[in-house]
Every structure is written in structure tokens, then in C-alpha cells.
Amino acid sequence: MKAQKAMNIMSESQIRALLQGKRLPEDARVIMSGNQAVPWHLLKLVDETLPTYRLSGLNAPQGLPRRDGVTYETSFVGAGMRGSARLVYIPARLSMVPILFGTTRKPEVLLVHTSTPRSGKVSLGIEVNILPAAIEACRKGGGLIIAQMNKQMPYTFGDGEYDLDIFDAILEVDEPLPTPPARTGQAPDAADSAAKIGERVSSRVHNGATMQLGIGEVPDAVLQGLTGLKNLGVWSEMFSDGVLSLLKAGALDPDRKIISSFAFGSEELYRWMDGNDQIRMLRTETTNAPTEISKQPGMTSVNTALQVDLFAQANASRINARIFSGFGGQTDFIVGALHAPGGQAIMALRSWHPKAQVSTIVPILREPTTSFQPTAVITEQGTAEILGYDEKRQAAMLIEHAAHPNAREFLWYEARKLGLT
């Protein structure tokens, strides 16, 4: 009983009473662990207790409360908020989001998903990200911090370790974490194009380089080409099972910590992360700081986009002027990688959009720019070198080496109109 009191373990009814007794303002801002670490039980309690509130989280998955009275706020839109009429999008690079909690987006309630205690502390596990800044702002403002303590959340070291007494309430659960769905029904040409892109990207990476990779077909294909290298490092805002592949292949430098801010992967990945001293899960202000990224040897940032234009501007955020995702960490890592010793920033994408049946290389963006001027743009067609070339040479490289053959005649015509020939 003493241990429970020290940890502020509460039942669902007690947490409801805590929320009611706090006398929160109308439309209280509720910040939650995002990505694949949403504390669903706590979110349900909040939704049952508060008639109106603002729900804030990064890349939130499907399953969020969708009703009148709930407004979504985010700087990176996930499937759970995408397309909602109640969405409030706050443009911000990921490294800048933590600043908002102390200025324009102060939290009244914070819901986090943690591990069980070890040596008197719990860990934020697979999702550290912007949460340390949110915790600090919530404590300073006198808000509520409530933890969903899960026996199956891995304990990770770094900036996400906290003493138990910072939590106003803890709800105990024991349930698996989400894992990526199996890829099914993939067209052979789609797999082939991803493999070609992956081969071209990985051929530019050398022993001892530092990698930033996400999750998906292209990053997975890139990783396949890296398994023959040695002494690689990882400095990334997130990682998935590809890191395990590099580890098993002996490609990782055993003397370098794996630095990240959040993770999403298989049960095997989560078991490997649990108590692993080689991994450091750090706050976004560190992982995404261009100054820190630029210190990493051979820093290689691999990102993707919806479109790239002939001025090497990339749109990775909007479709028909409507927000689809956000800046995320793309601009942070592109700038950091370009300033790193031996660094490079790669924009990797297919040359043709299979569903829309349009070229992804366009004359000039009609959407707001997410990022610009990478080292190179790589598609299944080839590699367009960008950095250090004049604008006419850049446009020619994009048309001849990155664009789909079906789009080249049109792109040349538009390039002449834009003064790029």
C-alpha cells in the first residue's frame, strides 16, 4: 500500500475525480504522447470527463475521439487528425515545437505512456520526443501530469527517465505496443523502384558514416545496401527495425551510442531496446538541433517528398493546399547534414506517383515549400546532383536523371518558360 501511495497509483474513477477536481479551464489543452505511444486508456478517461478540450499530439494515429467539443492541435498531422474540420495546424520545425509549450501552447493536462519503475524511476520508452519540454512546462504552470504505466513499454535510457513523484496520478496497464502492419499487395514495379532508389542512396554512404533514416519502403531498401559497411552510427529523430538489421550484420560501430527521439517497430525491436545501454533516447531539442546534427561524421540524412521542382524545392507537407503532415524534422536534418564533415542530405522519392498518375518532379511548386537545396535528388530513374551547381544545371539534372521519361518533354518546355535553359 505504501508503494502504491508513493507512486500515486489510481483507479480510473479516481483519475476522473482528479480531472474534475482540478477545475480546468474550458477547452483545456491536453498534450499526449504521440506517434505509436498514445496512452489510450488515459485519453478515454479525459474524453469521458471533459466536455470540451484541445488535444495536442504529434503524428497521432487513428482512433482519437472525433466529436464536437474536441479540437485537434499539432505541428505534424497524423492519420488520426488528418482531414478533420476541427484541426488546428501550427507550422513549426520539429526542433522548435518544444518552445511552443512555454509560449503560445501551454499545457493544462499532460498524458504520457511510461515503463514500469526501475530504481525508483520510469522511462518514456519509445516516445521521448517533445515530451520533456511538455513535462517541464506543465509542472511550471501547475497542470496535471498523468502516466499510463505499461509493463510492456521498454525502459530506455536518456532524457525520458523520471522520478515517480512528478506524476499526479498513475494508471497501471499491461498491453502490447503497436507494431507496423505487414506490407501486402505491393506491385512488383513499386518494389523494384524502391530497390533501385535504395541501391543508389546506399552507394553514396561510406564506412563510419552517421545515418538518419525513417520507416518505409525506401528507407528499408537503403538499409539493405548498408549491411556491408562498418562502423556506422545512428543519429536520427526516429528508428525502426532497420537498426536491428545493421546490428546483426555487424555494420554498427559498437563504441557509438544510437541516438534517437522515438521508435516504432516490431516486438523484437522493443525487447532489444529494453534496458539497452547502447541506446540513448533524447529530447527533440537535442536530436533535431542542426548544430548537434552537424557534429556527426559523414552525417547522411535521407528524406522524401511529395514533389520536387526544378529549383530543387521540395513539398513534403501539403496536397491541394491542405496540410497532410508538416515540416517534421526534414529541415532540421537537411541543414545539419549539409554542415556536417563529409555530410550529405538526400531527397529520395519515386519519379511517378502511381495513384495520381503524375510526375513527382514538377516545374515549380504550387504548394508551400517544406525544404530546399538538398545534396542530391534520387529516384528510380537516377541521381540529380544539386549542391554546388548553378540553377540551370540543377534543372537539367533533375529532368534528365530524376524525372520519369514521360514527363521530360513537358519539363523541358516549362524549364524554358522559367528561364532555366
PDB file of all heavy atoms in Angstrom, residues 60-94:
ATOM      1  N   ALA A  60      -0.440  11.736 -34.663  1.00  0.00           N
ATOM      2  CA  ALA A  60      -1.391  10.887 -33.935  1.00  0.00           C
ATOM      3  C   ALA A  60      -2.035   9.858 -34.862  1.00  0.00           C
ATOM      4  O   ALA A  60      -2.485  10.205 -35.953  1.00  0.00           O
ATOM      5  CB  ALA A  60      -2.472  11.756 -33.296  1.00  0.00           C
ATOM      6  N   PRO A  61      -2.104   8.598 -34.433  1.00  0.00           N
ATOM      7  CA  PRO A  61      -2.714   7.555 -35.263  1.00  0.00           C
ATOM      8  C   PRO A  61      -4.233   7.611 -35.197  1.00  0.00           C
ATOM      9  O   PRO A  61      -4.827   8.374 -34.424  1.00  0.00           O
ATOM     10  CB  PRO A  61      -2.177   6.263 -34.637  1.00  0.00           C
ATOM     11  CG  PRO A  61      -1.980   6.612 -33.194  1.00  0.00           C
ATOM     12  CD  PRO A  61      -1.546   8.057 -33.179  1.00  0.00           C
ATOM     13  N   GLN A  62      -4.871   6.785 -35.990  1.00  0.00           N
ATOM     14  CA  GLN A  62      -6.332   6.718 -35.991  1.00  0.00           C
ATOM     15  C   GLN A  62      -6.844   6.191 -34.652  1.00  0.00           C
ATOM     16  O   GLN A  62      -6.166   5.425 -33.975  1.00  0.00           O
ATOM     17  CB  GLN A  62      -6.811   5.830 -37.126  1.00  0.00           C
ATOM     18  CG  GLN A  62      -6.557   6.429 -38.506  1.00  0.00           C
ATOM     19  CD  GLN A  62      -7.058   5.540 -39.623  1.00  0.00           C
ATOM     20  OE1 GLN A  62      -7.306   4.360 -39.427  1.00  0.00           O
ATOM     21  NE2 GLN A  62      -7.214   6.111 -40.802  1.00  0.00           N
ATOM     22  N   GLY A  63      -8.065   6.620 -34.310  1.00  0.00           N
ATOM     23  CA  GLY A  63      -8.676   6.169 -33.079  1.00  0.00           C
ATOM     24  C   GLY A  63      -8.927   7.275 -32.076  1.00  0.00           C
ATOM     25  O   GLY A  63      -9.466   7.030 -30.996  1.00  0.00           O
ATOM     26  N   LEU A  64      -8.550   8.512 -32.405  1.00  0.00           N
ATOM     27  CA  LEU A  64      -8.775   9.634 -31.498  1.00  0.00           C
ATOM     28  C   LEU A  64     -10.268   9.935 -31.378  1.00  0.00           C
ATOM     29  O   LEU A  64     -11.036   9.650 -32.297  1.00  0.00           O
ATOM     30  CB  LEU A  64      -8.054  10.888 -32.007  1.00  0.00           C
ATOM     31  CG  LEU A  64      -6.541  10.816 -32.226  1.00  0.00           C
ATOM     32  CD1 LEU A  64      -6.034  12.182 -32.653  1.00  0.00           C
ATOM     33  CD2 LEU A  64      -5.825  10.336 -30.983  1.00  0.00           C
ATOM     34  N   PRO A  65     -10.677  10.526 -30.257  1.00  0.00           N
ATOM     35  CA  PRO A  65     -12.076  10.957 -30.136  1.00  0.00           C
ATOM     36  C   PRO A  65     -12.423  11.945 -31.247  1.00  0.00           C
ATOM     37  O   PRO A  65     -11.718  12.938 -31.443  1.00  0.00           O
ATOM     38  CB  PRO A  65     -12.128  11.626 -28.766  1.00  0.00           C
ATOM     39  CG  PRO A  65     -10.967  11.073 -28.013  1.00  0.00           C
ATOM     40  CD  PRO A  65      -9.911  10.810 -29.028  1.00  0.00           C
ATOM     41  N   ARG A  66     -13.490  11.666 -31.980  1.00  0.00           N
ATOM     42  CA  ARG A  66     -13.949  12.574 -33.045  1.00  0.00           C
ATOM     43  C   ARG A  66     -15.375  12.990 -32.715  1.00  0.00           C
ATOM     44  O   ARG A  66     -16.329  12.309 -33.072  1.00  0.00           O
ATOM     45  CB  ARG A  66     -13.883  11.890 -34.415  1.00  0.00           C
ATOM     46  CG  ARG A  66     -12.485  11.893 -35.025  1.00  0.00           C
ATOM     47  CD  ARG A  66     -12.490  11.335 -36.441  1.00  0.00           C
ATOM     48  NE  ARG A  66     -11.175  11.428 -37.049  1.00  0.00           N
ATOM     49  CZ  ARG A  66     -10.838  12.311 -38.006  1.00  0.00           C
ATOM     50  NH1 ARG A  66     -11.736  13.171 -38.421  1.00  0.00           N
ATOM     51  NH2 ARG A  66      -9.638  12.324 -38.528  1.00  0.00           N
ATOM     52  N   ARG A  67     -15.495  14.083 -31.999  1.00  0.00           N
ATOM     53  CA  ARG A  67     -16.820  14.576 -31.603  1.00  0.00           C
ATOM     54  C   ARG A  67     -16.754  16.075 -31.427  1.00  0.00           C
ATOM     55  O   ARG A  67     -15.673  16.679 -31.327  1.00  0.00           O
ATOM     56  CB  ARG A  67     -17.262  13.918 -30.297  1.00  0.00           C
ATOM     57  CG  ARG A  67     -16.373  14.218 -29.087  1.00  0.00           C
ATOM     58  CD  ARG A  67     -17.009  13.773 -27.790  1.00  0.00           C
ATOM     59  NE  ARG A  67     -16.157  13.975 -26.623  1.00  0.00           N
ATOM     60  CZ  ARG A  67     -16.052  15.122 -25.955  1.00  0.00           C
ATOM     61  NH1 ARG A  67     -16.737  16.186 -26.353  1.00  0.00           N
ATOM     62  NH2 ARG A  67     -15.268  15.210 -24.888  1.00  0.00           N
ATOM     63  N   ASP A  68     -17.935  16.689 -31.403  1.00  0.00           N
ATOM     64  CA  ASP A  68     -17.997  18.109 -31.094  1.00  0.00           C
ATOM     65  C   ASP A  68     -17.427  18.338 -29.700  1.00  0.00           C
ATOM     66  O   ASP A  68     -17.694  17.568 -28.771  1.00  0.00           O
ATOM     67  CB  ASP A  68     -19.446  18.595 -31.147  1.00  0.00           C
ATOM     68  CG  ASP A  68     -20.015  18.599 -32.551  1.00  0.00           C
ATOM     69  OD1 ASP A  68     -19.213  18.599 -33.501  1.00  0.00           O
ATOM     70  OD2 ASP A  68     -21.255  18.575 -32.686  1.00  0.00           O
ATOM     71  N   GLY A  69     -16.649  19.384 -29.567  1.00  0.00           N
ATOM     72  CA  GLY A  69     -16.037  19.689 -28.282  1.00  0.00           C
ATOM     73  C   GLY A  69     -14.573  19.341 -28.218  1.00  0.00           C
ATOM     74  O   GLY A  69     -13.858  19.809 -27.334  1.00  0.00           O
ATOM     75  N   VAL A  70     -14.102  18.522 -29.166  1.00  0.00           N
ATOM     76  CA  VAL A  70     -12.687  18.137 -29.201  1.00  0.00           C
ATOM     77  C   VAL A  70     -12.025  18.815 -30.396  1.00  0.00           C
ATOM     78  O   VAL A  70     -12.399  18.576 -31.546  1.00  0.00           O
ATOM     79  CB  VAL A  70     -12.498  16.613 -29.298  1.00  0.00           C
ATOM     80  CG1 VAL A  70     -11.004  16.269 -29.292  1.00  0.00           C
ATOM     81  CG2 VAL A  70     -13.219  15.911 -28.156  1.00  0.00           C
ATOM     82  N   THR A  71     -11.051  19.662 -30.123  1.00  0.00           N
ATOM     83  CA  THR A  71     -10.278  20.339 -31.159  1.00  0.00           C
ATOM     84  C   THR A  71      -8.884  19.736 -31.201  1.00  0.00           C
ATOM     85  O   THR A  71      -8.263  19.521 -30.159  1.00  0.00           O
ATOM     86  CB  THR A  71     -10.180  21.849 -30.866  1.00  0.00           C
ATOM     87  OG1 THR A  71     -11.487  22.404 -30.810  1.00  0.00           O
ATOM     88  CG2 THR A  71      -9.372  22.562 -31.943  1.00  0.00           C
ATOM     89  N   TYR A  72      -8.387  19.457 -32.373  1.00  0.00           N
ATOM     90  CA  TYR A  72      -7.043  18.905 -32.531  1.00  0.00           C
ATOM     91  C   TYR A  72      -6.042  20.035 -32.756  1.00  0.00           C
ATOM     92  O   TYR A  72      -6.315  20.978 -33.491  1.00  0.00           O
ATOM     93  CB  TYR A  72      -6.968  17.960 -33.725  1.00  0.00           C
ATOM     94  CG  TYR A  72      -7.885  16.767 -33.670  1.00  0.00           C
ATOM     95  CD1 TYR A  72      -8.446  16.258 -34.835  1.00  0.00           C
ATOM     96  CD2 TYR A  72      -8.180  16.131 -32.465  1.00  0.00           C
ATOM     97  CE1 TYR A  72      -9.277  15.153 -34.803  1.00  0.00           C
ATOM     98  CE2 TYR A  72      -9.012  15.021 -32.429  1.00  0.00           C
ATOM     99  CZ  TYR A  72      -9.567  14.534 -33.609  1.00  0.00           C
ATOM    100  OH  TYR A  72     -10.387  13.450 -33.576  1.00  0.00           O
ATOM    101  N   GLU A  73      -4.875  19.919 -32.134  1.00  0.00           N
ATOM    102  CA  GLU A  73      -3.765  20.835 -32.364  1.00  0.00           C
ATOM    103  C   GLU A  73      -2.503  20.022 -32.614  1.00  0.00           C
ATOM    104  O   GLU A  73      -2.221  19.068 -31.885  1.00  0.00           O
ATOM    105  CB  GLU A  73      -3.507  21.718 -31.136  1.00  0.00           C
ATOM    106  CG  GLU A  73      -4.528  22.781 -30.865  1.00  0.00           C
ATOM    107  CD  GLU A  73      -4.108  23.678 -29.713  1.00  0.00           C
ATOM    108  OE1 GLU A  73      -3.171  23.323 -28.979  1.00  0.00           O
ATOM    109  OE2 GLU A  73      -4.718  24.739 -29.562  1.00  0.00           O
ATOM    110  N   THR A  74      -1.734  20.382 -33.611  1.00  0.00           N
ATOM    111  CA  THR A  74      -0.476  19.670 -33.854  1.00  0.00           C
ATOM    112  C   THR A  74       0.408  20.440 -34.820  1.00  0.00           C
ATOM    113  O   THR A  74      -0.077  21.271 -35.597  1.00  0.00           O
ATOM    114  CB  THR A  74      -0.743  18.259 -34.414  1.00  0.00           C
ATOM    115  OG1 THR A  74       0.480  17.498 -34.399  1.00  0.00           O
ATOM    116  CG2 THR A  74      -1.290  18.312 -35.833  1.00  0.00           C
ATOM    117  N   SER A  75       1.700  20.137 -34.775  1.00  0.00           N
ATOM    118  CA  SER A  75       2.646  20.640 -35.773  1.00  0.00           C
ATOM    119  C   SER A  75       3.057  19.547 -36.748  1.00  0.00           C
ATOM    120  O   SER A  75       3.841  19.805 -37.666  1.00  0.00           O
ATOM    121  CB  SER A  75       3.894  21.215 -35.082  1.00  0.00           C
ATOM    122  OG  SER A  75       3.571  22.400 -34.382  1.00  0.00           O
ATOM    123  N   PHE A  76       2.535  18.334 -36.533  1.00  0.00           N
ATOM    124  CA  PHE A  76       2.743  17.264 -37.515  1.00  0.00           C
ATOM    125  C   PHE A  76       1.502  16.384 -37.511  1.00  0.00           C
ATOM    126  O   PHE A  76       1.194  15.730 -36.518  1.00  0.00           O
ATOM    127  CB  PHE A  76       3.995  16.431 -37.205  1.00  0.00           C
ATOM    128  CG  PHE A  76       4.425  15.583 -38.378  1.00  0.00           C
ATOM    129  CD1 PHE A  76       5.312  16.093 -39.319  1.00  0.00           C
ATOM    130  CD2 PHE A  76       3.918  14.304 -38.562  1.00  0.00           C
ATOM    131  CE1 PHE A  76       5.690  15.334 -40.420  1.00  0.00           C
ATOM    132  CE2 PHE A  76       4.297  13.543 -39.653  1.00  0.00           C
ATOM    133  CZ  PHE A  76       5.194  14.058 -40.586  1.00  0.00           C
ATOM    134  N   VAL A  77       0.776  16.399 -38.634  1.00  0.00           N
ATOM    135  CA  VAL A  77      -0.531  15.766 -38.724  1.00  0.00           C
ATOM    136  C   VAL A  77      -0.378  14.278 -39.024  1.00  0.00           C
ATOM    137  O   VAL A  77       0.278  13.896 -39.990  1.00  0.00           O
ATOM    138  CB  VAL A  77      -1.386  16.436 -39.815  1.00  0.00           C
ATOM    139  CG1 VAL A  77      -2.781  15.810 -39.878  1.00  0.00           C
ATOM    140  CG2 VAL A  77      -1.488  17.941 -39.568  1.00  0.00           C
ATOM    141  N   GLY A  78      -0.986  13.447 -38.186  1.00  0.00           N
ATOM    142  CA  GLY A  78      -1.035  12.019 -38.430  1.00  0.00           C
ATOM    143  C   GLY A  78      -2.400  11.602 -38.933  1.00  0.00           C
ATOM    144  O   GLY A  78      -3.317  12.418 -39.084  1.00  0.00           O
ATOM    145  N   ALA A  79      -2.565  10.302 -39.169  1.00  0.00           N
ATOM    146  CA  ALA A  79      -3.810   9.786 -39.731  1.00  0.00           C
ATOM    147  C   ALA A  79      -5.011  10.070 -38.844  1.00  0.00           C
ATOM    148  O   ALA A  79      -6.133  10.234 -39.330  1.00  0.00           O
ATOM    149  CB  ALA A  79      -3.680   8.280 -39.953  1.00  0.00           C
ATOM    150  N   GLY A  80      -4.806  10.161 -37.524  1.00  0.00           N
ATOM    151  CA  GLY A  80      -5.909  10.377 -36.607  1.00  0.00           C
ATOM    152  C   GLY A  80      -6.497  11.774 -36.656  1.00  0.00           C
ATOM    153  O   GLY A  80      -7.642  11.986 -36.241  1.00  0.00           O
ATOM    154  N   MET A  81      -5.719  12.754 -37.141  1.00  0.00           N
ATOM    155  CA  MET A  81      -6.202  14.133 -37.219  1.00  0.00           C
ATOM    156  C   MET A  81      -6.404  14.605 -38.651  1.00  0.00           C
ATOM    157  O   MET A  81      -7.097  15.596 -38.885  1.00  0.00           O
ATOM    158  CB  MET A  81      -5.213  15.077 -36.519  1.00  0.00           C
ATOM    159  CG  MET A  81      -5.057  14.852 -35.034  1.00  0.00           C
ATOM    160  SD  MET A  81      -3.911  16.071 -34.310  1.00  0.00           S
ATOM    161  CE  MET A  81      -3.940  15.595 -32.571  1.00  0.00           C
ATOM    162  N   ARG A  82      -5.835  13.891 -39.598  1.00  0.00           N
ATOM    163  CA  ARG A  82      -5.822  14.345 -40.992  1.00  0.00           C
ATOM    164  C   ARG A  82      -7.237  14.501 -41.547  1.00  0.00           C
ATOM    165  O   ARG A  82      -8.084  13.620 -41.398  1.00  0.00           O
ATOM    166  CB  ARG A  82      -5.026  13.354 -41.837  1.00  0.00           C
ATOM    167  CG  ARG A  82      -4.711  13.814 -43.253  1.00  0.00           C
ATOM    168  CD  ARG A  82      -3.742  12.853 -43.899  1.00  0.00           C
ATOM    169  NE  ARG A  82      -2.444  12.905 -43.225  1.00  0.00           N
ATOM    170  CZ  ARG A  82      -1.708  11.822 -42.933  1.00  0.00           C
ATOM    171  NH1 ARG A  82      -2.154  10.611 -43.217  1.00  0.00           N
ATOM    172  NH2 ARG A  82      -0.535  11.966 -42.336  1.00  0.00           N
ATOM    173  N   GLY A  83      -7.484  15.635 -42.174  1.00  0.00           N
ATOM    174  CA  GLY A  83      -8.763  15.872 -42.817  1.00  0.00           C
ATOM    175  C   GLY A  83      -9.859  16.358 -41.894  1.00  0.00           C
ATOM    176  O   GLY A  83     -10.978  16.624 -42.347  1.00  0.00           O
ATOM    177  N   SER A  84      -9.593  16.499 -40.614  1.00  0.00           N
ATOM    178  CA  SER A  84     -10.625  16.926 -39.673  1.00  0.00           C
ATOM    179  C   SER A  84     -10.901  18.425 -39.812  1.00  0.00           C
ATOM    180  O   SER A  84      -9.980  19.234 -39.921  1.00  0.00           O
ATOM    181  CB  SER A  84     -10.197  16.620 -38.232  1.00  0.00           C
ATOM    182  OG  SER A  84     -11.096  17.201 -37.309  1.00  0.00           O
ATOM    183  N   ALA A  85     -12.191  18.783 -39.763  1.00  0.00           N
ATOM    184  CA  ALA A  85     -12.569  20.191 -39.780  1.00  0.00           C
ATOM    185  C   ALA A  85     -12.191  20.881 -38.480  1.00  0.00           C
ATOM    186  O   ALA A  85     -12.168  22.110 -38.405  1.00  0.00           O
ATOM    187  CB  ALA A  85     -14.067  20.316 -40.024  1.00  0.00           C
ATOM    188  N   ARG A  86     -11.891  20.088 -37.447  1.00  0.00           N
ATOM    189  CA  ARG A  86     -11.542  20.657 -36.137  1.00  0.00           C
ATOM    190  C   ARG A  86     -10.027  20.679 -35.924  1.00  0.00           C
ATOM    191  O   ARG A  86      -9.567  20.832 -34.789  1.00  0.00           O
ATOM    192  CB  ARG A  86     -12.220  19.848 -35.023  1.00  0.00           C
ATOM    193  CG  ARG A  86     -13.740  19.894 -35.067  1.00  0.00           C
ATOM    194  CD  ARG A  86     -14.361  19.172 -33.879  1.00  0.00           C
ATOM    195  NE  ARG A  86     -14.018  17.760 -33.859  1.00  0.00           N
ATOM    196  CZ  ARG A  86     -14.692  16.818 -34.529  1.00  0.00           C
ATOM    197  NH1 ARG A  86     -15.720  17.159 -35.277  1.00  0.00           N
ATOM    198  NH2 ARG A  86     -14.336  15.556 -34.450  1.00  0.00           N
ATOM    199  N   LEU A  87      -9.264  20.533 -36.987  1.00  0.00           N
ATOM    200  CA  LEU A  87      -7.804  20.528 -36.877  1.00  0.00           C
ATOM    201  C   LEU A  87      -7.246  21.947 -36.897  1.00  0.00           C
ATOM    202  O   LEU A  87      -7.580  22.754 -37.771  1.00  0.00           O
ATOM    203  CB  LEU A  87      -7.199  19.730 -38.029  1.00  0.00           C
ATOM    204  CG  LEU A  87      -5.671  19.795 -38.186  1.00  0.00           C
ATOM    205  CD1 LEU A  87      -4.970  19.200 -36.970  1.00  0.00           C
ATOM    206  CD2 LEU A  87      -5.238  19.093 -39.461  1.00  0.00           C
ATOM    207  N   VAL A  88      -6.385  22.237 -35.926  1.00  0.00           N
ATOM    208  CA  VAL A  88      -5.620  23.484 -35.901  1.00  0.00           C
ATOM    209  C   VAL A  88      -4.156  23.109 -36.112  1.00  0.00           C
ATOM    210  O   VAL A  88      -3.535  22.475 -35.258  1.00  0.00           O
ATOM    211  CB  VAL A  88      -5.786  24.222 -34.556  1.00  0.00           C
ATOM    212  CG1 VAL A  88      -4.917  25.472 -34.528  1.00  0.00           C
ATOM    213  CG2 VAL A  88      -7.252  24.576 -34.323  1.00  0.00           C
ATOM    214  N   TYR A  89      -3.615  23.491 -37.256  1.00  0.00           N
ATOM    215  CA  TYR A  89      -2.227  23.170 -37.584  1.00  0.00           C
ATOM    216  C   TYR A  89      -1.329  24.336 -37.211  1.00  0.00           C
ATOM    217  O   TYR A  89      -1.596  25.484 -37.592  1.00  0.00           O
ATOM    218  CB  TYR A  89      -2.100  22.846 -39.077  1.00  0.00           C
ATOM    219  CG  TYR A  89      -0.674  22.724 -39.553  1.00  0.00           C
ATOM    220  CD1 TYR A  89       0.158  21.713 -39.053  1.00  0.00           C
ATOM    221  CD2 TYR A  89      -0.154  23.611 -40.489  1.00  0.00           C
ATOM    222  CE1 TYR A  89       1.474  21.608 -39.486  1.00  0.00           C
ATOM    223  CE2 TYR A  89       1.159  23.500 -40.932  1.00  0.00           C
ATOM    224  CZ  TYR A  89       1.970  22.495 -40.422  1.00  0.00           C
ATOM    225  OH  TYR A  89       3.270  22.399 -40.839  1.00  0.00           O
ATOM    226  N   ILE A  90      -0.268  24.054 -36.462  1.00  0.00           N
ATOM    227  CA  ILE A  90       0.693  25.077 -36.047  1.00  0.00           C
ATOM    228  C   ILE A  90       2.006  24.823 -36.775  1.00  0.00           C
ATOM    229  O   ILE A  90       2.749  23.896 -36.415  1.00  0.00           O
ATOM    230  CB  ILE A  90       0.926  25.058 -34.518  1.00  0.00           C
ATOM    231  CG1 ILE A  90      -0.394  25.222 -33.764  1.00  0.00           C
ATOM    232  CG2 ILE A  90       1.888  26.156 -34.106  1.00  0.00           C
ATOM    233  CD1 ILE A  90      -0.919  23.957 -33.162  1.00  0.00           C
ATOM    234  N   PRO A  91       2.321  25.578 -37.828  1.00  0.00           N
ATOM    235  CA  PRO A  91       3.564  25.335 -38.556  1.00  0.00           C
ATOM    236  C   PRO A  91       4.788  25.522 -37.654  1.00  0.00           C
ATOM    237  O   PRO A  91       4.932  26.554 -36.992  1.00  0.00           O
ATOM    238  CB  PRO A  91       3.536  26.392 -39.665  1.00  0.00           C
ATOM    239  CG  PRO A  91       2.094  26.778 -39.796  1.00  0.00           C
ATOM    240  CD  PRO A  91       1.532  26.667 -38.416  1.00  0.00           C
ATOM    241  N   ALA A  92       5.638  24.514 -37.616  1.00  0.00           N
ATOM    242  CA  ALA A  92       6.870  24.600 -36.822  1.00  0.00           C
ATOM    243  C   ALA A  92       7.773  23.432 -37.182  1.00  0.00           C
ATOM    244  O   ALA A  92       7.301  22.299 -37.322  1.00  0.00           O
ATOM    245  CB  ALA A  92       6.572  24.572 -35.325  1.00  0.00           C
ATOM    246  N   ARG A  93       9.045  23.714 -37.337  1.00  0.00           N
ATOM    247  CA  ARG A  93      10.014  22.629 -37.446  1.00  0.00           C
ATOM    248  C   ARG A  93       9.971  21.839 -36.140  1.00  0.00           C
ATOM    249  O   ARG A  93       9.739  22.390 -35.061  1.00  0.00           O
ATOM    250  CB  ARG A  93      11.415  23.173 -37.687  1.00  0.00           C
ATOM    251  CG  ARG A  93      11.562  23.905 -39.008  1.00  0.00           C
ATOM    252  CD  ARG A  93      13.008  24.236 -39.286  1.00  0.00           C
ATOM    253  NE  ARG A  93      13.634  25.003 -38.218  1.00  0.00           N
ATOM    254  CZ  ARG A  93      14.913  25.379 -38.229  1.00  0.00           C
ATOM    255  NH1 ARG A  93      15.690  25.030 -39.231  1.00  0.00           N
ATOM    256  NH2 ARG A  93      15.402  26.077 -37.240  1.00  0.00           N
ATOM    257  N   LEU A  94      10.252  20.559 -36.217  1.00  0.00           N
ATOM    258  CA  LEU A  94      10.133  19.723 -35.028  1.00  0.00           C
ATOM    259  C   LEU A  94      11.024  20.215 -33.897  1.00  0.00           C
ATOM    260  O   LEU A  94      10.641  20.179 -32.722  1.00  0.00           O
ATOM    261  CB  LEU A  94      10.471  18.271 -35.371  1.00  0.00           C
ATOM    262  CG  LEU A  94      10.104  17.230 -34.315  1.00  0.00           C
ATOM    263  CD1 LEU A  94       8.634  17.311 -33.934  1.00  0.00           C
ATOM    264  CD2 LEU A  94      10.433  15.824 -34.816  1.00  0.00           C
TER     265      LEU A  94
END
